[in-house]
Amino acid sequence: MSTRQDVFDTVRGLFRIKTRADVVLLCFAFLAIVLIIVAVYWTLDRIEIQVKQQTAESLQTVVATTQEGIAFWVNAVENPVSIIARRPEVVAAVQSQVELSSRPESLRHSKGLRVLREFLTPVIDVYKYDFSVVDRNWIEIASEKDDRIGMRISDRADMEPIESALNGRVAVGLSAVDGTAQTVIVASPVMDDNGMLIAALVFFLDPKPDFNSMTHRGRIGSTGETYVFDDKGRMLTDSRFRPDRTLYVRDDEHGSKTGQLTKMAQSALSGKSGVDVEGYPDYRDIEVFGAWAWDSSLNIGIATEIDRWEAFTPYRTIRTLTLLMVVVTIGTFLVLLVVIRHRNRVLASNWAFRESIKARQDTLAVVSHDLRAPLSNVILCSNMLAKSNDVTSLTRFAGVINRSSRQMEKLISDLLDVSEMEMGRLRIEKKPCDIDSLLEPIRDTFLEQARSKSIELDIPSAGEHPPLIADPDRIIQVLSNLVRNALKFTPNGGRVSVHHAVSQREIRFAVRDSGPGIHQDAQAHIFDQFWKTKSSGKRGRGLGLYIARMIVERHNGKIWVESDGRNGSVFYFTIPY
């Protein structure tokens, strides 16, 4: 119980709130905000995963589509070359060149070479580079360029497609012509009229225009790029960003190569297909998402990439809108919370105001009653004094008038004190005073009252102590109010005691009674103005303890009560040295 109360007290002090209901409302608001933040974080995390999945699917689709387009292009160039290799005029011209293969000088000026060039020139104009006819001895017996005729082709291009053609199969392969320019070799066997293989018809085609056409259609976004590259990391398509078209990582301000291929290129060159939507640096050293595949038929890699920041643009937009909505929601919630809290405080203030008015009305009724009784006594005794000549009667009437006047004086004094406190003009005149000088008037004032109810009044002497700097009259007023209440609520034959304890910083007074005690709920209000307990069955003005609290607080002290609600009460107050 104490731990929970400590938590409430800590929250109250931190946020300057007063009631337990406000603490509960604040805790509920905090919990609601935490739940909203967690829900938003979870939602944004799911959205991020979804964006990555959709980006991965789009990238993989582009790669697959580009790969299918290249496969279709390969078939599109294989078939025409195979058809050309079977044309009668081509076969006749190749056969005549084969017959002249032993005389290289004759090959360059033969009719067969002229026929081949005239027939194949329209085809060559569509592409770049040239054509060649290779006999079974790997000698170029026909070519678009005279300087190659009669030479072995093995020093000019990769052999696999040509070797396949000389074995009777149409083949396509990627090669580096003269070791630099990338070209696609399309080789088809040439058969004579008897079905015997006599040579291979070879086309050296530039794939770049067609590859550019296919890859440029497959770009994603404004920073997306789709490209094809060979087994050395050289791009076979135009780059949108760098002219040298190589896939090496760059690591300095001048863009120099490190000699290390990008993560994507390394994976593709190892024959793997893949996708990365976590982000990796491309050949520009920019974080990208990408997908890639390796085409073993042409020995080329196909990749598509998009800058990471652009791929996350939809996510950032959604995140910004979501966070804005959350801020607006939390702001609206907090405003609503403040409004509700203000409304509750207004209602509580109105309730307190009504209770205060009711208490004031009750107090005025009590004050009127309390003033009427002694005033009636004064008037009655004054009339009796005017008519009586008996000395004994005169003395008795004078005593009644004196006591009634003191009662009225006390009541009026309390009302004046309350008025001064409400206006902030309570006078405190501090001066050195010893503790016994504070206790003796209490002992003298209330001893006879205690004896009349057979109540034991215990007020021991203080002994030797340092003087206390305080307003002695006001401290006596506090002690009087506490002792008077104790005697009022202590039954006949009970006990009331006043004790004190001195420390280095303060003196603590304690007024203990053996009355019925004070209920836990009442202890929080017992020092409020015009408040009085309803369970005591006694009438009161609700001013004494309020005045005591204000006097103690003006001395920078504290006042409180301890009671189990059954076996008496102890009122404590402290006055600092």
Side-chain angles (χ1 to χ4, degrees):
M1 181 68 182
S2 60
T3 303
R4 186 172 62 181
Q5 185 64 40
D6 290 342
V7 173
F8 275 108
D9 291 342
T10 301
V11 176
R12 288 176 184 176
L14 183 62
F15 294 95
R16 297 180 180 178
I17 56 182
K18 297 181 178 179
T19 65
R20 182 180 293 264
D22 286 343
V23 175
V24 173
L25 189 62
L26 183 64
C27 291
F28 172 76
F30 178 76
L31 179 61
I33 291 173
V34 170
L35 290 177
I36 291 174
I37 293 174
V38 170
V40 168
Y41 176 81
W42 183 87
T43 301
L44 290 177
D45 185 60
R46 300 282 78 75
I47 293 174
E48 180 180 358
I49 293 173
Q50 187 68 23
V51 169
K52 288 182 177 180
Q53 289 176 346
Q54 293 177 353
T55 304
E57 292 173 359
S58 299
L59 293 171
Q60 290 173 316
T61 300
V62 170
V63 170
T65 303
T66 304
Q67 193 169 10
E68 291 175 0
I70 291 175
F72 181 80
W73 178 83
V74 169
N75 291 330
V77 298
E78 276 185 340
N79 293 333
V81 172
S82 177
I83 293 172
I84 292 172
R86 294 196 299 270
R87 292 292 294 268
E89 54 266 46
V90 172
V91 172
V94 170
Q95 194 168 4
S96 65
Q97 290 296 99
V98 170
E99 293 173 356
L100 297 175
S101 60
S102 59
R103 303 195 302 276
E105 298 81 5
S106 301
L107 290 173
R108 296 188 182 94
H109 306 287
S110 66
K111 179 181 178 182
L113 179 61
R114 290 196 300 273
V115 171
L116 287 172
R117 285 177 175 176
E118 290 174 0
F119 188 83
L120 296 179
T121 294
V123 179
I124 297 302
D125 288 343
V126 178
Y127 304 99
K128 288 187 178 180
Y129 298 112
D130 55 11
F131 75 92
S132 178
V133 177
V134 181
D135 67 8
R136 302 185 66 175
N137 294 318
W138 298 85
I139 302 298
E140 292 188 63
I141 59 177
S143 177
E144 190 171 351
K145 299 178 182 178
D146 289 342
D147 59 348
R148 300 301 307 174
I149 297 176
M151 300 182 65
R152 288 185 63 83
I153 197 171
S154 59
D155 62 345
R156 185 181 179 194
D158 294 339
M159 295 294 100
E160 287 186 12
I162 301 174
E163 184 177 3
S164 296
L166 292 177
N167 288 326
R169 300 187 304 274
V170 180
V172 179
L174 184 68
S175 177
V177 177
D178 298 328
T180 56
Q182 296 297 302
T183 184
V184 171
I185 299 176
V186 184
S188 176
V190 179
M191 307 289 186
D192 61 12
D193 295 339
N194 298 322
M196 297 294 294
L197 189 147
I198 58 176
L201 177 61
V202 183
F203 279 89
F204 299 94
L205 309 178
D206 181 10
K208 183 177 177 181
D210 290 320
F211 283 3
N212 279 338
S213 177
M214 286 183 283
T215 56
H216 290 178
R217 292 191 183 98
R219 292 173 177 172
I220 301 177
S222 61
T223 61
E225 181 178 24
T226 302
Y227 48 86
V228 181
F229 55 94
D230 65 10
D231 57 1
K232 300 296 189 299
R234 294 171 295 192
M235 292 172 63
L236 306 180
T237 53
D238 289 335
S239 170
R240 300 175 65 180
F241 308 105
R242 290 192 179 275
D244 56 0
R245 299 181 294 128
T246 55
L247 300 181
Y248 290 98
V249 177
R250 302 167 187 276
D251 64 351
D252 61 23
E253 59 182 2
H254 303 293
S256 63
K257 303 174 185 176
T258 64
Q260 179 182 4
L261 287 168
T262 65
K263 171 187 174 181
M264 179 279 300
Q266 293 181 43
S267 176
L269 291 176
S270 65
K272 298 177 182 178
S273 298
V275 62
D276 188 314
V277 288
E278 298 301 326
Y280 63 91
D282 69 350
Y283 61 94
R284 300 166 296 156
D285 200 28
I286 292 176
E287 285 287 315
V288 297
F289 291 165
W292 57 88
W294 186 255
D295 190 331
S296 57
S297 62
L298 279 181
N299 206 30
I300 58 174
I302 304 166
T304 184
E305 295 173 335
I306 184 173
D307 288 2
R308 191 179 191 274
W309 72 265
E310 184 182 8
F312 264 179
T313 298
Y315 169 75
R316 287 196 303 272
T317 302
I318 295 173
R319 182 182 62 185
T320 301
L321 292 176
T322 303
L323 293 178
L324 181 61
M325 291 175 61
V326 169
V327 170
V328 172
T329 301
I330 292 177
T332 304
F333 184 79
L334 291 177
V335 170
L336 181 61
L337 184 66
V338 170
V339 170
I340 292 175
R341 183 181 172 192
H342 179 69
R343 176 179 175 274
N344 291 339
R345 287 188 172 181
V346 170
L347 293 176
S349 177
N350 291 339
W351 179 86
F353 181 71
R354 289 194 298 269
E355 289 295 314
S356 177
I357 292 176
K358 184 177 181 298
R360 285 174 182 269
Q361 292 173 346
D362 293 344
T363 300
L364 288 175
V366 173
V367 169
S368 299
H369 176 272
D370 288 350
L371 280 176
R372 186 179 294 113
L375 184 58
S376 298
N377 289 336
V378 171
I379 295 173
L380 178 61
C381 289
S382 297
N383 293 332
M384 296 298 294
L385 281 174
K387 298 177 181 180
S388 177
N389 294 321
D390 183 30
V391 176
T392 303
S393 298
L394 292 176
T395 303
R396 181 167 58 84
F397 293 150
V400 172
I401 291 173
N402 182 60
R403 288 194 299 272
S404 299
S405 300
R406 289 183 180 276
Q407 291 177 10
M408 289 189 292
E409 181 186 19
K410 176 64 173 63
L411 181 56
I412 293 171
S413 177
D414 286 349
L415 292 175
L416 289 175
D417 283 343
V418 170
S419 178
E420 292 291 325
M421 292 173 186
E422 288 180 345
M423 291 186 292
R425 298 189 308 201
L426 179 65
R427 295 186 300 275
I428 300 293
E429 299 178 0
K430 294 183 179 181
K431 59 184 178 181
C433 56
D434 61 84
I435 299 174
D436 277 330
S437 66
L438 304 176
L439 298 177
E440 288 177 2
I442 304 301
R443 187 184 301 110
D444 295 340
T445 301
F446 295 101
L447 183 59
E448 289 301 324
Q449 182 180 346
R451 287 176 178 173
S452 66
K453 296 181 62 177
S454 300
I455 295 175
E456 180 185 353
L457 180 62
D458 181 19
I459 306 179
S461 299
E464 294 294 331
H465 291 295
L468 182 65
I469 306 300
D471 187 330
D473 294 333
R474 292 299 184 182
I475 300 302
I476 291 172
Q477 186 177 0
V478 173
L479 289 169
S480 296
N481 287 341
L482 296 180
V483 173
R484 184 179 292 108
N485 278 348
L487 293 172
K488 181 192 300 184
F489 292 102
T490 300
N492 294 344
R495 187 173 187 273
V496 173
S497 62
V498 179
H499 296 280
H500 64 276
V502 179
S503 67
Q504 294 181 351
R505 296 184 301 174
E506 63 186 15
I507 180 172
R508 185 182 71 176
F509 293 94
V511 178
R512 184 185 302 271
D513 65 61
S514 59
I518 302 173
H519 194 271
Q520 185 72 27
D521 296 336
Q523 293 180 25
H525 304 283
I526 197 168
F527 294 101
D528 293 345
Q529 183 180 356
F530 300 118
W531 192 93
K532 54 185 180 294
T533 179
K534 297 179 180 180
S535 62
S536 63
K538 303 285 184 178
R539 294 179 60 85
R541 297 180 298 276
L543 297 177
L545 293 180
Y546 170 73
I547 293 172
R549 176 172 68 87
M550 296 301 294
I551 292 173
V552 170
E553 290 178 354
R554 286 296 302 273
H555 282 82
N556 298 320
K558 296 185 296 183
I559 186 170
W560 69 98
V561 63
E562 294 182 1
S563 177
D564 60 4
R566 296 185 302 272
N567 302 312
S569 306
V570 185
F571 284 82
Y572 296 96
F573 72 94
T574 60
I575 302 297
Y577 276 114

